[in-house]
């Protein structure tokens, strides 16, 4: 057996997965080849490193989320769906569309009438004919204010809200010269068109939402996100910092003692012994900032200062190496699984 | 400590087929970490891994009737998980999330800073090296060295020849050995 042939069998040999004859041939080769023996040893070490990786754990609440998502829809929901889908949905959508469209037309018309009325009432006699286009906008402006309260009246349905938007344009338009004003109603009618579409689309989207099932899933995902973001929040200071100890303000936290929300355990817990506690504390904050992290908190635990830092996972090894230069550093717990690590370092002398 | 790949919980398959709701929950509880682990190592992002892991169980739930019962439930779940992960990795619109948290480490007590530094560096290097393996080698390595499947089980889960499993695993380990030379 050549070395090349032998190398191809080493990986399976590590698993004891060779056929008896292959194994015998390989072992005969290994007995006489130091190079291949070294190769086998290196491969075994590599496999051991990979197998020493801590198994991943599914996030908390995973089982509940899966079971909820898999649960068959209750009969009441199924019945409701069969009864109302799809037929009554269409008239409902059509009604919503008509309502929105009708409302928009009414409001626009109302505002146009008001504009005309206002113009007739307050414009000087010479300006009465719309043909007098030279009239400066400034003179028209005060009476043109009149229709605006009408156009800005609260709209009855939320879906009509989008349709209301261009009407603020209308307010601006009435202040324009009369020549433009004459075109305005036509433009407003045109502009009303796309608005109708988008608001009816929104209404349709609302109606198509697929009932309890997807909403439950969304809620579950939402509550999980909240829980997760809560878990990532830094711990609160246990006590106010004593006078003289790095008097910088500590960000308030919504977890930790006193808030009723337990703070998550940090990913890394370490102890730093140094003669200059205040200096080391500052140096740690600076170090965290330098590697792209930041100080997230500070508390007193058993009379000792605990500095809490957020350190990017990929910069953690470098951070640790430099932190070890600040004094006698011992790491008590270390989990580098997250992209950003919560590091709690107790500084004492 | 890695869970050893034992037999399926006794009677679980029968209960699942009978539509026992608690049985499905038992299935998810029993295999959640393994399915999630495969997805995490393959995809590199916890959020994406959870999404895929959930999909694995939902598909299993829907397809229980088609399960032949010749293989173990675990092998079947690994097969679904592997396929979904590889499909996801192959999908063109997948956002490129290079594995920043693909690997967990050993949170064992670490007596001194030097050991902690070394372990942290090793974790980073391992994570990187595994993430850089071509996908079809990575899945074989994950199933063998992280999940503890036998060659036969991997061949069945991935629908591959035994020899293909062997050579892909060999190449994956070879590649890791070269990248992790300074730690070995």
């Amino acid at each position: 057996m050549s070395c090349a042939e032998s190398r191809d069998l080493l990986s399976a040999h590590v698993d004891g997965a060779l056929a008896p004859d292959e194994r015998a041939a390989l072992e005969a080769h290994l007995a006489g080849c130091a190079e291949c023996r070294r190769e086998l040893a290196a491969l075994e070490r590599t496999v051991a490193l990979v197998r020493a990786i801590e198994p991943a754990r599914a996030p908390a609440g995973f089982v509940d989320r899966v079971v909820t998502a898999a649960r068959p829809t209750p009969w009441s929901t199924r019945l409701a769906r069969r009864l109302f889908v799809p037929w009554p949905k269409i008239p409902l959508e059509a009604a919503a569309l008509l309502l929105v469209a009708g409302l928009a037309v009414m409001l626009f018309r109302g505002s146009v009438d008001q504009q005309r009325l206002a113009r007739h009432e307050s414009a000087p006699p010479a300006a009465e004919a719309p043909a007098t286009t030279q009239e400066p906008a400034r003179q028209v402006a005060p009476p043109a204010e009149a229709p605006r309260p009408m156009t800005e009246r609260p709209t009855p349905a939320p879906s009509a809200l989008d349709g209301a938007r261009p009407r603020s344009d209308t307010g601006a338009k009435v202040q324009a010269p009369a020549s433009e004003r004459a075109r305005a109603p036509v433009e407003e009618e045109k502009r009303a068109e796309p608005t109708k579409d988008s608001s009816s689309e929104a209404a349709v989207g609302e109606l198509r939402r697929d009932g309890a099932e997807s909403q439950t899933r969304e809620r579950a995902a939402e509550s999980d996100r909240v829980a997760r973001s809560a878990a990532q929040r830094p711990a609160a200071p246990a006590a106010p910092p004593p006078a003289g100890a790095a008097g910088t303000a500590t960000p308030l936290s919504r977890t930790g003692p006193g808030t009723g929300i337990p703070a998550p355990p940090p990913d890394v817990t370490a102890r730093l012994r140094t003669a200059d506690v205040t200096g080391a504390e500052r140096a740690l904050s600076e170090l965290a900032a330098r590697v792209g992290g930041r100080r997230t908190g500070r508390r007193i635990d058993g009379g000792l200062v605990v500095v809490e830092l957020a350190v990017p996972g990929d910069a953690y090894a470098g951070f640790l190496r430099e932190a070890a230069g600040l004094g006698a550093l011992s790491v008590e717990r270390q989990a580098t699984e997250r992209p950003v690590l919560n590091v709690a370092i107790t500084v004492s002398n | 400590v890695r869970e050893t790949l034992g037999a399926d919980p006794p009677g679980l398959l029968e209960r699942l087929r009978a539509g026992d709701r608690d049985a499905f929950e038992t299935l998810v509880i029993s295999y959640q970490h393994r399915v999630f682990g495969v997805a995490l190592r393959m995809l590199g992002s916890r959020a994406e891994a959870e999404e895929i892991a959930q999909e694995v169980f939902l598909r299993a739930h829907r397809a229980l009737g088609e399960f032949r019962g010749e293989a173990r439930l675990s092998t079947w779940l690994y097969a679904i998980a592997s396929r979904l992960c590889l499909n996801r990795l192959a999908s063109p619109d997948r956002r490129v999330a290079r594995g920043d948290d693909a690997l967990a480490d050993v949170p064992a007590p670490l007596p001194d800073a030097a050991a902690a530094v070394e372990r942290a560096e090793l974790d980073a290097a391992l994570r990187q090296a595994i993430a850089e393996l071509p996908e079809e080698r990575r899945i074989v390595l994950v199933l063998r060295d992280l999940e503890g499947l036998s060659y036969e089980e991997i061949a069945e889960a991935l629908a591959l020849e035994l020899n293909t499993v062997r050579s892909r695993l060999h190449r994956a380990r070879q590649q890791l050995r070269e990248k992790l030379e300074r730690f070995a």
Side-chain angles (χ1 to χ4, degrees):
Chain A
M1 178 180 279
S2 70
C3 284
E5 286 168 324
S6 144
R7 300 287 162 94
D8 282 345
L9 298 178
L10 291 180
S11 162
H13 183 62
V14 170
D15 294 314
L18 289 179
D21 54 331
E22 284 175 320
R23 196 176 131 201
L26 177 66
E27 279 172 355
H29 176 85
L30 286 174
C33 180
E35 192 61 31
C36 283
R37 280 203 302 275
R38 264 196 298 280
E39 190 67 26
L40 175 63
L43 197 65
E44 278 171 340
R45 281 195 298 272
T46 304
V47 172
L49 281 179
V50 177
R51 291 187 180 169
I53 295 171
E54 183 77 357
R57 294 191 72 77
F62 178 79
V63 176
D64 288 343
R65 287 193 288 280
V66 173
V67 171
T68 305
R71 192 166 291 156
T73 335
W75 66 267
S76 52
T77 314
R78 279 206 308 273
L79 182 70
R81 260 191 227 162
R82 201 166 306 164
L83 281 178
F84 294 107
V85 174
W87 292 110
K89 240 172 77 174
I90 292 164
L92 206 64
E93 282 159 12
L97 201 138
L98 276 176
L99 183 74
V100 169
L103 233 122
V105 167
M106 251 172 63
L107 285 170
F108 286 134
R109 242 203 231 144
S111 74
V112 169
D113 286 347
Q114 290 265 333
Q115 283 168 41
R116 202 174 298 140
L117 200 66
R119 208 156 57 223
H120 279 289
E121 273 172 359
S122 56
E128 223 165 284
T132 55
T133 54
Q134 299 306 314
E135 182 189 329
R138 191 168 39 82
Q139 282 183 351
V140 193
E145 293 290 325
R148 288 174 80 186
M150 160 74 183
T151 59
E152 281 172 13
R153 186 173 295 165
T155 40
S159 57
L161 218 64
D162 279 5
R165 231 165 257 154
R167 272 181 286 115
S168 59
D169 277 19
T170 317
K173 262 281 181 306
V174 286
Q175 291 180 25
S179 59
E180 267 189 59
R181 232 187 295 138
R183 280 203 311 268
V186 182
E187 282 178 16
E188 279 158 8
E189 291 289 322
K190 271 194 221 151
R191 236 178 288 135
E193 287 297 320
T195 332
K196 261 187 282 177
D197 284 352
S198 65
S199 56
S200 65
E201 257 168 39
V204 171
E206 209 56 50
L207 287 166
R208 291 226 175 108
R209 287 247 161 150
D210 224 0
E213 187 185 321
S214 68
Q215 281 178 12
T216 318
R217 218 177 305 167
E218 274 165 30
R219 265 202 300 278
E222 179 59 36
S223 67
D224 183 51
R225 267 199 295 282
V226 171
R228 235 180 284 165
S229 70
Q232 278 161 6
R233 249 172 247 138
T248 43
T250 306
L252 279 177
S253 166
R254 286 154 70 184
T255 57
T259 60
I261 306 167
D267 302 302
V268 177
T269 322
R271 187 176 281 267
L272 179 64
R273 289 181 183 280
T274 170
D276 177 12
V277 172
T278 314
E281 214 185 305
R282 195 178 311 120
L284 283 173
S285 301
E286 288 166 6
L287 178 54
R290 203 155 60 236
V291 299
R294 63 190 174 86
R295 192 177 87 154
T296 53
R298 177 184 187 278
R299 59 192 161 85
I300 307 297
D301 190 354
L304 300 176
V305 177
V306 180
V307 185
E308 293 165 328
L309 308 160
V311 178
D314 48 10
Y316 172 68
F319 167 84
L320 206 60
R321 207 178 305 116
E322 287 204 39
L326 299 172
L329 183 73
S330 58
V331 178
E332 285 150 15
R333 182 181 180 281
Q334 173 170 283
T336 61
E337 189 183 357
R338 291 165 179 281
V340 176
L341 307 174
N342 290 321
V343 180
I345 302 182
T346 307
V347 187
S348 63
N349 44 28
Chain B
V1 178
R2 194 170 302 288
E3 278 174 74
T4 47
L5 187 68
D8 296 325
L12 181 59
L13 182 60
E14 290 69 31
R15 282 166 56 212
L16 281 167
R17 284 195 162 148
D20 180 347
R21 189 178 293 176
D22 293 342
F24 180 65
E25 192 168 343
T26 307
L27 178 83
V28 182
I29 292 170
S30 305
Y31 297 108
Q32 55 168 336
H33 300 308
R34 290 180 233 173
V35 168
F36 177 77
V38 171
L40 178 61
R41 267 76 193 226
M42 288 308 290
L43 302 169
S45 128
R46 295 186 71 85
E48 212 175 0
E50 178 172 359
E51 185 194 321
I52 290 290
Q54 182 161 339
E55 186 60 27
V56 170
F57 285 110
L58 294 181
R59 292 214 180 177
H61 186 255
R62 285 198 294 271
L64 268 172
E66 299 159 26
F67 180 61
R68 287 164 296 138
E70 292 156 14
R72 292 209 294 221
L73 275 170
S74 58
T75 313
W76 184 54
L77 290 173
Y78 279 125
I80 302 174
S82 306
R83 197 172 58 239
L84 288 181
C85 286
L86 292 172
N87 286 350
R88 171 63 69 96
L89 287 165
S91 83
D93 56 339
R94 178 181 185 260
R95 56 187 174 74
V96 183
R98 296 300 298 225
D100 24 277
D101 52 2
L103 296 175
D105 68 340
V106 190
L110 296 155
D112 63 282
V117 169
E118 201 173 303
R119 183 70 221 185
E121 283 174 342
L122 171 60
D123 281 336
L126 261 174
R127 181 179 311 164
Q128 185 70 21
I130 294 180
E132 281 170 7
L133 291 174
E135 285 138 23
E136 74 276 10
R137 290 183 198 167
R138 187 156 82 232
I139 185 69
V140 176
L141 181 97
V142 166
L143 292 181
R144 173 68 204 141
D145 286 334
L146 294 173
E147 300 301 326
L149 269 66
S150 70
Y151 284 36
E152 288 77 13
E153 284 169 327
I154 298 171
E156 185 174 351
L158 301 179
L160 293 174
E161 293 293 325
L162 213 53
N163 274 337
T164 313
V165 172
R166 201 161 107 168
S167 70
R168 284 189 187 173
L169 184 61
H170 167 70
R171 296 219 171 80
R173 285 168 168 177
Q174 208 69 33
Q175 199 170 329
L176 285 189
R177 189 191 69 74
E178 282 156 25
K179 295 207 163 150
L180 300 172
E181 199 124 52
R182 67 196 173 101
F183 296 101

